Amino acid sequence: MTRLASGVARLGTETAFSVLARAKEMERAGRDVIHLEIGEPDFDTPAHITEAGVAALRAGETHYCPAAGIAELREAVAAELSRSRDVAIGPERVLVANGAKPFLFFTILATCEPGDEVVYPDPGFPIYESAIRWAGATPVPLPLREELGFSFAPDELRALLTDRTRLVILNSPQNPTGGVSPAPDLAAAAEAILDTDAWILSDEVYARMLYDDGAFASIASVPRMLERTVLLDGFSKTYAMTGWRCGYAAVPEPLVEPLTRFFVNSTSCVPPFVQLAGVAALTGPQDAVTAMVAEFAERRDLVVDGLNALPGVSCLSPRGAFYVFPNVEDVPMSAETLADRLLEEAGVAVLAGTAFGANGAGHLRLSYANSQANLARALERMAEFLSAVPA
């Protein structure tokens, strides 16, 4: 009998896509479902970016290009990261990939052997743990504490670092919590990591999505950290370009060639017309980004206020991204059951916090990348459902 490789069993998934598939089946059966499960801006890609991509297509930019990325985009990324992170980054250290996920997989594969340890945030983006396990490394969860605004405790991070730690993954602003790690926490983390041989992967794809005049902080900005940090960003969230599949990173010099070799062996290159659209995104007007973030801020306030009015629910106001991570421990059912019943009985698609790690227990994740009208309808449905739940 034919069989699958054992490594397939170690490969996880994203529950958001599973719930999305269930919700779509319900819609095909005639049900009305409000989607709060998927992390995708509900805005169109700004017109000038789309026009740049179309112009590149018409100009014949449809062939192979360098696996590391075209020079124009690497230069634009280097300039943007140098400005926004206040560090000097040359274009020779910038790589371009088909979204952010290749950097997660390939950085782990390039730095970790079976048995090595990778510290990663929990709750956190589920692909972190999936990629760690698939590579044969040992995942070491770093708790994000609700009482710390979903940041980590630097002392806890230090206690998790061992002589087997090869990589530390950080994410701020965070998926799934919307938390933002303060600069002092990142400075303390840097001090601890500098006592080890570990690399860092700093996932900063929500860097432009900050609220309440919050200042963005990157561990790569701490002295001596850029030389060991993969600084990851991309176009999907900031510019509503999820379907374009284009991410980028500034990487330490020793990782440039190995990561490029992974691209050669897997995807060859990001289509050049997509990369030229990325140049337009970084160098063109930013008013669409500003407007999108302002709208997300209004949605955040609507959702947080609405959730805190629900019986058994409490919700911190997130400082970044477009997610809330309400605490539902006082609802008389598990978060997993609650998420299932909200979908099946109320037509509201959300995720249980444990889809993002064991430390997400007792929470839900909601994406407020939906219209204010739909968010208000979802809150009404949740209120009606919870009011009927016996205390």
Side-chain angles (χ1 to χ4, degrees):
M1 179 179 176
T2 55
R3 59 185 177 87
L4 297 173
S6 60
V8 174
R10 299 195 304 271
L11 198 60
T13 187
E14 284 190 67
T15 304
F17 286 100
S18 302
V19 174
L20 176 64
R22 285 176 56 198
K24 291 293 187 183
E25 286 295 327
M26 291 171 61
E27 288 176 323
R28 280 190 283 273
R31 291 284 304 278
D32 178 55
V33 178
I34 302 172
H35 293 273
L36 307 183
E37 80 281 27
I38 202 74
E40 177 176 41
D42 59 321
F43 299 87
D44 291 332
T45 302
H48 72 280
I49 300 173
T50 300
E51 290 166 4
V54 171
L57 281 167
R58 288 176 173 155
E61 297 289 351
T62 57
H63 302 281
Y64 287 133
C65 64
I70 63 173
E72 298 96 319
L73 182 54
R74 296 175 78 186
E75 290 167 0
V77 168
E80 170 59 23
L81 292 179
S82 297
R83 181 198 64 78
S84 58
R85 274 67 171 186
D86 195 27
V87 288
I89 297 173
E92 71 281 355
R93 293 180 57 173
V94 170
L95 299 177
V96 182
N98 298 93
K101 285 177 181 174
F103 287 108
L104 302 180
F105 268 95
F106 297 153
T107 297
I108 292 168
L109 290 171
T111 60
C112 298
E113 304 280 0
D116 287 340
E117 295 177 349
V118 181
V119 177
Y120 70 102
D122 182 354
F125 184 44
I127 301 306
Y128 300 150
E129 183 180 1
S130 173
I132 294 164
R133 290 192 183 280
W134 189 77
T138 301
V140 179
L142 172 64
L144 302 180
R145 303 293 184 187
E146 186 171 4
E147 61 270 23
L148 299 176
F150 291 113
S151 188
F152 58 87
D155 287 346
E156 282 191 275
L157 171 60
R158 184 181 291 275
L160 294 175
L161 300 174
T162 73
D163 58 1
R164 295 171 61 194
T165 306
R166 290 294 171 267
L167 181 66
V168 176
I169 300 175
L170 301 174
N171 173 217
S172 178
Q174 295 155 3
N175 175 14
T177 68
V180 175
S181 297
D185 289 0
L186 295 174
E191 182 181 0
I193 296 168
L194 281 169
D195 290 334
T196 74
D197 293 326
W199 301 93
I200 302 161
L201 192 154
S202 187
D203 183 348
E204 302 177 5
V205 298
Y206 297 96
R208 295 281 296 275
M209 294 183 176
L210 291 167
Y211 311 112
D212 305 324
D213 298 320
F216 177 71
S218 170
I219 197 168
S221 303
V222 179
R224 298 165 55 202
M225 296 311 292
L226 185 63
E227 63 196 46
R228 62 165 74 193
T229 299
V230 174
L231 173 54
L232 178 58
D233 205 333
F235 297 99
S236 289
K237 313 301 183 181
T238 303
Y239 298 99
M241 294 176 66
T242 52
W244 294 75
R245 308 313 306 135
C246 191
Y248 55 82
V251 308
E253 190 279 331
L255 289 177
V256 171
E257 192 278 332
L259 292 180
T260 302
R261 211 178 331 148
F262 275 115
F263 299 153
V264 171
N265 277 270
S266 57
T267 56
S268 295
C269 62
V270 177
F273 63 88
V274 171
Q275 296 192 54
L276 289 166
V279 173
L282 292 176
T283 62
Q286 303 296 303
D287 51 313
V289 177
T290 302
M292 182 170 65
V293 173
E295 172 63 18
F296 278 141
E298 292 185 9
R299 296 177 185 183
R300 176 200 64 165
D301 294 344
L302 184 158
V303 170
V304 170
D305 290 346
L307 288 171
N308 280 321
L310 298 178
V313 179
S314 63
C315 185
L316 292 180
S317 183
R319 295 172 54 212
F322 43 69
Y323 308 108
V324 285
F325 205 63
N327 187 314
V328 294
E329 290 179 337
D330 290 338
V331 175
M333 68 183 75
S334 71
E336 292 78 11
T337 298
L338 177 58
D340 284 341
R341 291 187 63 184
L342 283 172
L343 176 59
E344 296 294 338
E345 299 176 35
V348 179
V350 301
L351 302 178
T354 47
F356 302 90
N359 285 303
H363 293 77
L364 299 178
R365 192 201 78 172
L366 286 68
S367 165
Y368 48 89
N370 206 326
S371 70
Q372 293 192 43
N374 281 337
L375 293 170
R377 288 200 304 133
L379 290 165
E380 290 172 0
R381 293 183 183 187
M382 294 175 72
E384 182 178 358
F385 172 84
L386 288 170
S387 67
V389 174

